[in-house]
Amino acid sequence: MTAPATTTTVSAATPGSAGTGSAATSTTPGDSGVPAAPGGDGAAGGSWDQAGRAVSDRGAGTARNEHWKSAARIHGVQGDQVHGDKVGRDKIVLNLADKTVDVFELPIELLEPVRNAFVNPDRWIELSGRFADKRTAIVRGRTGRGKDAAAIRLLIAEVETIYLLDPATDITHLAGSITRRTEEHGRADRGIGFLLCQPKGAAHLGGWSFHALENALSAANARLVVTLSPDIVLADDGLEPYVLDLGDNPVPHRKIVLSHLRWQCSDQETFERLSSDAVVDELIVELEHGAQSCQAAADLARLIIDEHDEGAVNAARVHERRRRHQDHAFDQWFDRLRAADERSFAIALAVLDGLPYEDVAAAARMLRTRLEVSQQVVLTGGDKPELRVVRRELMPNPVGRLLDTLRAAERDEVARYEYGTVPVHVVAYRDGSYPLKVIERVWRGYQIQPTLLGWLHDLIRGRSDRVRFYAASTLGVLCRYSFDYVWTNWLAGWADHEDHRIREAVAYALREPAADAKLVPSVNMVVGACYGDVSSPLSQATAARAFGVCVGQPDATAAIDRLGRLATIDDYDIAVAIGDGLADLILSDADRMAPTVCAALVEWFGDKSRTRSAELAFLMLASTLVSWDRDESDGPEVQWPLLLRLADTLQDLQGPLRALWRHLISNSVLHDEANAVLTGWAALAENNRPQLLALLRLIRSVVREPAPDPRSRRNLARLVKTWTEPRNLNPLPNAQRAMTALLDKLEREGS
């Protein structure tokens, strides 16, 4: 007779299962402190002998900025806007300034209620008539008064398809983007509409941008509706002709409820019975007595339909469901996720929403390992019983079923990395508000704070740059929830961490609480403490990264001043942080900040105590900042050094850039690194004539202006010869031939 197997549970030493240790303490698994930093990428040990490493990662600064902006869009504070299914819908692609943006079709669950149950507000015929005469309109109404629905209704009457724009969309670039799309794809026969709900830069909208949009939209057979709150004061009187005010008289909730009942009832008899029901009347009266939105009235109609049986409406069930819907609907959905793989994937998706499936799945596996604080051990039967650890099924839940459970979906996209663009398969929540809701629910609803922070630490230490910045953004969200706990127990220790990736995450995470007026003094205090900690250059390096994103300082001018003072400290890690910080400043507003930063570096070059740090900082800017441009409208994207691209059009940048390169070519401490970066610029220009001509113009000015410099010309000539030497694995014959011809000509001219 075979003995039955016996199951017992034994504790396993898994990460995150112990209490709250100091973040500065490196410990064994199970401790909440920071794990010891292994060697490898990001580890300490940086020295001036490795300066070439800091300038070798072409495009890293630009990529870092793009990754952060993507993460901030996911984890930023959600406003009073339309949020819909972000995936599984048709989309168009718009090129806004230097960014390519996917714009998705308005989801059906937002479109159909408006199409079938919209209740006209006061003066609707007048408002819709005015809209018919223009391609652009601003629908203005108070929160909860149905301005988004009104905007959708206006568009439905005029176009076939409606696309939902991100609130961060800059309208000033929209006209040009629509014009380019029309030139490439032609006029939309049946019309397309764009809906922009409460844009972030609403206070700065100008009438001139709307005038330009009228022409672009007319050519495309398109329309744009922007929704705004009356609290937004328009900066330009030229916008008034575009404003459609919904007024101060709200649409009666009773009308909205009855309209939605009529739409959702299967027959007229059911509608008449419900509309005359005393219980329904009582529910509507309760709704009218509260400060409820138009959406609340529509939701009540749906609940009445769900909770009526043979003509009778269960008021108690409606009340209960409304309460749960308002207070606990999301929490209940999350709490119903029982399986460990569901919860770990839900949390990983909240942090990495919109990233490739493989990245999310890997992060979910890491988190699941931390969440499992015990393992099952079974006693097998038979003649020789033995203890065995129960193995987990590696394929317990198909991806499609898991995503359905998590209210998420998948789609194919193209993503740009430092090496170019590649197709990716991404996953995201259908509802754009879920990432923040999941993070808040996990943080405040469960006792796993050390586990969660330890897991984010692991993500930051990983190889994926995109994952690292999404994890840093999540850290910032947690700082908004519990600044003292997160800073005191974790980030304070991380600010002095040997791994530059951890320090970078601290600086970027602080951007979130720095945007909260209540937390600004605290953020300034902790950044100031790092800045002044002369015993810890690594903490000062963290402060430099924070200054680069204007955290801890009121503006960019003050940030540059502080970075210049740090440059007097001859420390490699600080110098690298200064270079990265200046890169972040430039990317915040390239046209304005590039001339300012380069002018400051010229001044630093003249101070012997700052020369080496300043040289490394500039070389990092020259190498890590790139732009992607098309020389022809239908051609492939071409990578340019950002500073070279900007200097072609910004006169204020040309003088400082010329002075910086002349110093580095003729009198540099970091001579080899300067040659490597300039060779990198030549490599990008090798097969791109516009870029090569721009580089030649720069070199000509470096050698000739403000006075001829034979030393620079001779040094350049020696460098150019190496571009086609046999030992050069990547020869540059085009650049070498053009540059040699230029230098020979300059020599004949006496330079």
Side-chain angles (χ1 to χ4, degrees):
M1 182 175 178
T2 303
T6 302
T7 302
T8 185
T9 301
V10 296
S11 296
T14 56
S17 60
T20 60
S22 168
T25 305
S26 178
T27 72
T28 58
D31 195 297
S32 63
V34 177
D41 292 344
S47 70
W48 286 105
D49 293 337
Q50 299 174 332
R53 184 176 177 184
V55 302
S56 64
D57 201 356
R58 181 190 299 163
T62 299
R64 177 176 67 239
N65 185 62
E66 291 181 356
H67 298 334
W68 174 260
K69 288 192 291 188
S70 296
R73 282 195 294 270
I74 298 300
H75 300 137
V77 178
Q78 303 290 335
D80 176 38
Q81 306 124 9
V82 172
H83 290 287
D85 184 348
K86 298 188 300 180
V87 294
R89 294 178 277 125
D90 291 339
K91 70 177 182 181
I92 60 176
V93 177
L94 296 178
N95 294 307
L96 300 173
D98 60 342
K99 292 175 268 190
T100 300
V101 179
D102 293 333
V103 181
F104 291 92
E105 187 176 343
L106 190 73
I108 194 71
E109 60 264 33
L110 296 176
L111 192 64
E112 285 303 303
V114 176
R115 190 190 303 276
N116 294 285
F118 181 75
V119 179
N120 295 342
D122 291 345
R123 304 169 31 250
W124 182 250
I125 295 177
E126 173 196 342
L127 296 175
S128 55
R130 288 176 56 195
F131 178 67
D133 294 334
K134 290 185 177 294
R135 291 283 174 175
T136 316
I138 297 174
V139 174
R140 191 160 57 186
R142 299 199 176 279
T143 301
R145 298 289 177 83
K147 58 182 174 292
D148 294 340
I152 295 170
R153 184 67 172 186
L154 288 171
L155 290 169
I156 286 174
E158 303 293 338
V159 302
E160 181 184 58
T161 308
I162 302 172
Y163 293 92
L164 183 61
L165 294 171
D166 189 304
T169 299
D170 187 350
I171 286 183
T172 59
H173 298 300
L174 195 55
S177 178
I178 292 172
T179 298
R180 286 192 296 273
R181 186 180 184 279
T182 304
E183 292 171 350
E184 295 172 5
H185 301 281
R187 179 181 172 88
D189 292 336
R190 300 184 180 181
I192 58 174
F194 296 100
L195 176 61
L196 179 58
C197 297
Q198 303 195 72
K200 293 182 179 179
H204 305 293
L205 294 179
W208 63 270
S209 58
F210 273 59
H211 301 329
L213 275 168
E214 283 287 314
N215 296 328
L217 292 167
S218 179
N221 193 21
R223 292 176 180 271
L224 168 70
V225 179
V226 180
T227 66
L228 289 181
S229 165
D231 298 327
I232 300 296
V233 178
L234 297 177
D236 189 346
D237 291 338
L239 290 174
E240 286 301 329
Y242 299 93
V243 175
L244 303 178
D245 268 314
L246 295 183
D248 294 325
N249 297 324
V251 177
H253 287 117
R254 182 175 296 274
K255 285 187 176 182
I256 298 174
V257 174
L258 293 179
S259 180
H260 279 262
L261 286 177
R262 181 179 290 108
W263 168 47
Q264 296 183 59
C265 283
S266 57
D267 54 70
Q268 182 65 20
E269 180 181 351
T270 302
F271 167 70
E272 292 176 354
R273 185 167 61 247
L274 289 175
S275 61
S276 60
D277 190 290
V279 173
V280 172
D281 182 76
E282 181 182 343
L283 291 169
I284 295 174
V285 169
E286 291 176 1
L287 184 73
E288 291 175 329
H289 286 167
Q292 300 293 337
S293 65
C294 293
Q295 183 61 51
D299 291 340
L300 176 60
R302 177 179 55 80
L303 292 177
I304 290 171
I305 292 292
D306 290 347
E307 298 300 337
H308 90 278
D309 185 19
E310 297 181 353
V313 177
N314 189 329
R317 284 283 301 160
V318 172
H319 283 130
E320 174 63 16
R321 288 188 59 184
R322 282 197 69 211
R323 183 188 66 80
R324 290 186 316 188
H325 178 74
Q326 294 171 350
D327 300 331
H328 302 295
F330 173 82
D331 290 348
Q332 290 186 343
W333 163 79
F334 185 82
D335 293 344
R336 284 197 299 267
L337 301 177
R338 296 299 181 189
D341 62 326
E342 291 178 353
R343 289 196 173 186
S344 57
F345 201 97
I347 298 169
L349 186 58
V351 173
L352 307 178
D353 189 80
L355 290 193
Y357 166 76
E358 295 80 5
D359 288 334
V360 179
R365 289 191 296 271
M366 292 169 59
L367 179 59
R368 176 171 176 165
T369 301
R370 284 180 168 270
L371 292 176
E372 290 179 332
V373 296
S374 64
Q375 294 178 341
Q376 281 191 323
V377 178
V378 298
L379 179 64
T380 63
D383 296 335
K384 296 181 178 180
E386 59 182 1
L387 290 173
R388 291 183 180 175
V389 176
V390 176
R391 294 185 178 273
R392 282 204 312 261
E393 169 62 58
L394 293 179
M395 301 173 63
N397 202 354
V399 174
R401 188 188 307 163
L402 174 63
L403 294 180
D404 284 343
T405 301
L406 298 182
R407 302 177 182 178
E410 50 195 334
R411 66 177 183 268
D412 291 321
E413 284 189 352
V414 174
R416 183 159 61 201
Y417 294 85
E418 292 90 326
Y419 48 77
T421 56
V422 293
V424 292
H425 190 69
V426 304
V427 289
Y429 281 110
R430 292 192 177 99
D431 187 330
S433 68
Y434 267 38
L436 273 182
K437 287 183 177 179
V438 169
I439 292 169
E440 183 174 11
R441 178 61 179 161
V442 171
W443 182 259
R444 291 178 168 165
Y446 296 85
Q447 299 180 41
I448 63 166
Q449 291 80 9
T451 302
L452 190 61
L453 288 163
W455 171 65
L456 290 173
H457 173 276
D458 292 345
L459 294 182
I460 293 166
R461 296 288 300 276
R463 294 186 178 276
S464 170
D465 290 338
R466 297 185 78 189
V467 168
R468 178 162 74 253
F469 285 99
Y470 276 61
S473 176
T474 305
L475 276 174
V477 173
L478 300 182
C479 284
R480 294 204 309 259
Y481 297 156
S482 308
F483 182 81
D484 179 69
Y485 175 83
V486 176
W487 175 260
T488 302
N489 293 287
W490 297 82
L491 298 191
W494 292 4
D496 190 38
H497 205 284
E498 294 180 339
D499 191 330
H500 76 86
R501 295 169 299 186
I502 297 295
R503 300 195 304 273
E504 181 176 67
V506 173
Y508 273 75
L510 289 175
R511 298 176 75 166
E512 295 288 345
D516 186 335
K518 298 188 295 292
L519 293 174
V520 167
S522 298
V523 174
N524 291 347
M525 182 71 72
V526 298
V527 173
C530 290
Y531 170 67
D533 189 356
V534 295
S535 66
S536 174
L538 295 179
S539 293
Q540 292 179 307
T542 300
R545 296 307 312 277
F547 294 153
V549 290
C550 289
V551 170
Q553 290 299 315
D555 53 42
T557 301
I560 293 174
D561 175 74
R562 290 294 185 271
L563 291 172
R565 295 174 188 277
L566 285 172
T568 62
I569 303 172
D570 190 27
D571 181 89
Y572 175 75
D573 291 305
I574 293 177
V576 170
I578 291 170
D580 283 332
L582 291 174
D584 288 335
L585 281 172
I586 289 177
L587 291 172
S588 68
D589 187 351
D591 288 356
R592 183 174 67 91
M593 293 307 306
T596 302
V597 167
C598 287
L601 286 170
V602 171
E603 180 183 341
W604 298 358
F605 275 16
D607 180 350
K608 290 183 179 181
S609 67
R610 298 191 284 193
T611 299
R612 186 157 65 164
S613 295
E615 287 185 4
L616 181 61
F618 172 71
L619 291 173
M620 290 177 65
L621 300 181
S623 175
T624 68
L625 299 184
V626 300
S627 68
W628 294 86
D629 301 296
R630 284 186 172 89
D631 296 327
E632 300 176 3
S633 59
D634 58 346
E637 285 190 324
V638 177
Q639 188 182 93
W640 279 67
L642 179 61
L643 294 180
L644 180 62
R645 189 58 152 168
L646 292 173
D648 238 14
T649 57
L650 296 179
Q651 189 171 355
D652 290 346
L653 176 60
Q654 293 167 4
L657 186 61
R658 178 180 65 242
L660 292 169
W661 270 120
R662 172 176 281 200
H663 170 91
L664 285 162
I665 292 168
S666 64
N667 196 33
S668 175
V669 176
L670 302 177
H671 181 71
D672 291 340
E673 290 77 14
N675 284 346
V677 172
L678 188 57
T679 299
W681 281 26
L684 289 176
E686 170 69 11
N687 297 307
N688 183 261
R689 183 162 180 76
Q691 193 170 165
L692 182 56
L693 292 175
L695 180 59
L696 292 174
R697 286 193 295 271
L698 172 65
I699 294 302
R700 180 181 180 84
S701 68
V702 167
V703 175
R704 287 183 60 89
E705 299 175 17
D709 182 19
R711 178 183 175 88
S712 293
R713 178 184 52 76
R714 291 193 298 270
N715 288 351
L716 282 167
R718 282 194 292 270
L719 171 65
V720 169
K721 286 181 181 179
T722 67
W723 291 354
T724 54
E725 288 181 347
R727 63 181 179 178
N728 192 329
L729 299 181
N730 295 295
L732 307 174
N734 296 331
Q736 192 268 350
R737 187 164 47 250
M739 193 70 73
T740 299
L742 172 64
L743 295 174
D744 289 345
K745 181 181 179 182
L746 292 174
E747 183 178 13
R748 290 193 300 271
E749 294 174 353
S751 297

